[in-house]
Amino acid sequence: ARSSCVGSGAAMSGLVPYAGSSGSEDDEERLQEEEEEEVAQATKERDEESQGDAKRKSVNPVALPRVRGFPHERGNWPLFVFIQISDPNGDVHDLSEAVAGIVSEEFEVFGEACNECHVSLSRPAALTYPQIDPFVQSLRFKCQTIPQFALSFSAPSHVLTNDGRTRCFLSAPTTAVPHQAMQLLDAVDSVMHQFGKPAYYRKRLLHTSICSWVQQQAGTEHSFDVTTCSCKSDLVTSSTCTCTRVGSKRDVSSIKHLTQQTQQRLATAARPYLEALTTTVKQIHVTAGNKTFTLDLRPSS
């Protein structure tokens, strides 16, 4: 199985530049109907996936159906700001499949390869329909002052969770964080604050998720807890957080702290593909509901 690995759990729309709209009531009604259809389709797919997972339990004993990570509320449109990583030759796809296989074996979970790799620049949030265009316009203006820059990544080594604590991600951190990337995060945070939305995580770990799996419910044989980190960090990672975690019925170190053997397997699997993850960031993308906007950065001099 494959997933888009969007932190909110919602599927990522295809990238279509969108210049904006008049914000008419007809558009809002049409988009609301499409959103409700997407929710119905997501529910159907979840039920079908649940049935499929039940059949696979002999191979993947802790496979669980995908849970919608962002609550559906009429009038609110899920918001997501990100950098897209292109994959013209399918190298990222191959990397995701290889890593998902290792995760399934090592963690005894149902690892799902990410079919669209990206770098998140925002936490999950929502906008009302009238807020969408002003939000995009404000962020577009700020992006025009930030120069283009390059991002490269190291082997997958961080285990993260989404804000809803429903899904875990094995992620590849950037090898370095250019000044322009920090400017970009500052710009997104500024606009998010302007609209009363949450800022990016306190620990600014830029990364791309390679595969994911469902967070297990407490009390199951293979359950593990990623919500009781004693330092109360809102971004739990295997490298930057070393405090004691409690409440797990399984050895947490096998999930949160990758063993040397697992790290070596992941590094070996990733090595041929890391160059494919390197990207020149010329633009970012904003999805709001079923709209996707493309915002250009300033060309490098």
Side-chain angles (χ1 to χ4, degrees):
R2 295 176 59 76
S3 68
S4 61
C5 285
V6 178
S8 65
M12 190 187 306
S13 305
L15 300 180
V16 180
Y18 198 97
S21 71
S22 62
S24 68
E25 293 182 0
D26 289 343
D27 281 346
E28 183 174 2
E29 183 177 353
R30 174 178 56 80
L31 291 173
Q32 187 68 59
E33 290 174 353
E34 292 177 359
E35 171 71 5
E36 291 173 352
E37 290 176 0
E38 290 176 1
V39 172
Q41 179 64 25
T43 301
K44 179 181 177 182
E45 291 176 355
R46 181 191 63 193
D47 293 340
E48 292 175 350
E49 185 175 352
S50 178
Q51 295 173 3
D53 285 341
K55 295 178 181 179
R56 289 191 293 267
K57 278 191 176 182
S58 60
V59 178
N60 302 288
V62 294
L64 290 176
R66 180 180 298 278
V67 178
R68 182 179 176 87
F70 198 98
H72 175 63
E73 183 177 342
R74 187 175 181 85
N76 280 350
W77 304 92
L79 171 69
F80 185 49
V81 185
F82 62 100
I83 297 167
Q84 183 68 38
I85 298 177
S86 61
D87 186 26
N89 300 320
D91 291 330
V92 177
H93 164 86
D94 293 343
L95 168 62
S96 297
E97 293 286 355
V99 169
I102 294 174
V103 165
S104 297
E105 294 174 10
E106 295 281 345
F107 297 165
E108 297 181 8
V109 295
F110 184 54
E112 300 181 53
C114 296
N115 57 15
E116 289 182 340
C117 287
H118 62 274
V119 178
S120 299
L121 299 174
S122 69
R123 295 179 71 160
L127 294 174
T128 61
Y129 184 83
Q131 290 177 320
I132 295 176
D133 283 347
F135 180 95
V136 173
Q137 291 169 6
S138 181
L139 185 54
R140 188 189 303 276
F141 176 78
K142 291 181 179 295
C143 285
Q144 291 172 352
T145 67
I146 301 173
Q148 299 173 3
F149 60 96
L151 279 181
S152 58
F153 300 84
S154 58
S157 59
H158 288 68
V159 178
L160 312 177
T161 63
N162 64 356
D163 281 31
R165 308 294 185 180
T166 59
R167 182 164 287 268
C168 298
F169 301 83
L170 181 61
S171 302
T174 57
T175 55
V177 181
H179 175 65
Q180 297 93 322
M182 290 296 99
Q183 286 183 298
L184 192 54
L185 284 175
D186 288 341
V188 175
D189 276 357
S190 174
V191 178
M192 294 286 281
H193 177 75
Q194 179 184 340
F195 285 81
K197 308 306 174 184
Y200 195 71
Y201 304 95
R202 292 194 301 272
K203 297 178 180 178
R204 287 183 159 188
L205 177 69
L206 285 179
H207 62 277
T208 185
S209 294
I210 305 299
C211 74
S212 71
W213 59 94
V214 174
Q215 153 72 342
Q216 302 305 300
Q217 300 299 316
T220 62
E221 179 182 358
H222 297 286
S223 68
F224 55 91
D225 185 6
V226 294
T227 66
T228 55
C229 177
S230 62
C231 71
K232 308 300 183 184
S233 170
D234 59 0
L235 179 62
V236 180
T237 77
S238 62
S239 297
T240 61
C241 185
T242 58
C243 65
T244 302
R245 298 172 181 81
V246 296
S248 175
K249 291 185 175 294
R250 187 182 177 194
D251 180 9
V252 179
S253 64
S254 64
I255 297 294
K256 304 308 297 179
H257 299 281
L258 304 179
T259 65
Q260 185 174 358
Q261 180 181 2
T262 301
Q263 290 180 29
Q264 183 59 47
R265 288 191 66 188
L266 291 169
T268 300
R271 190 172 296 117
Y273 305 108
L274 290 180
E275 186 176 350
L277 285 176
T278 300
T279 185
T280 299
V281 182
K282 298 181 178 180
Q283 55 192 203
I284 67 171
H285 304 281
V286 178
T287 61
N290 61 356
K291 290 184 175 184
T292 299
F293 304 80
T294 298
L295 284 58
D296 293 330
L297 302 186
R298 178 168 61 83
S300 301
S301 56

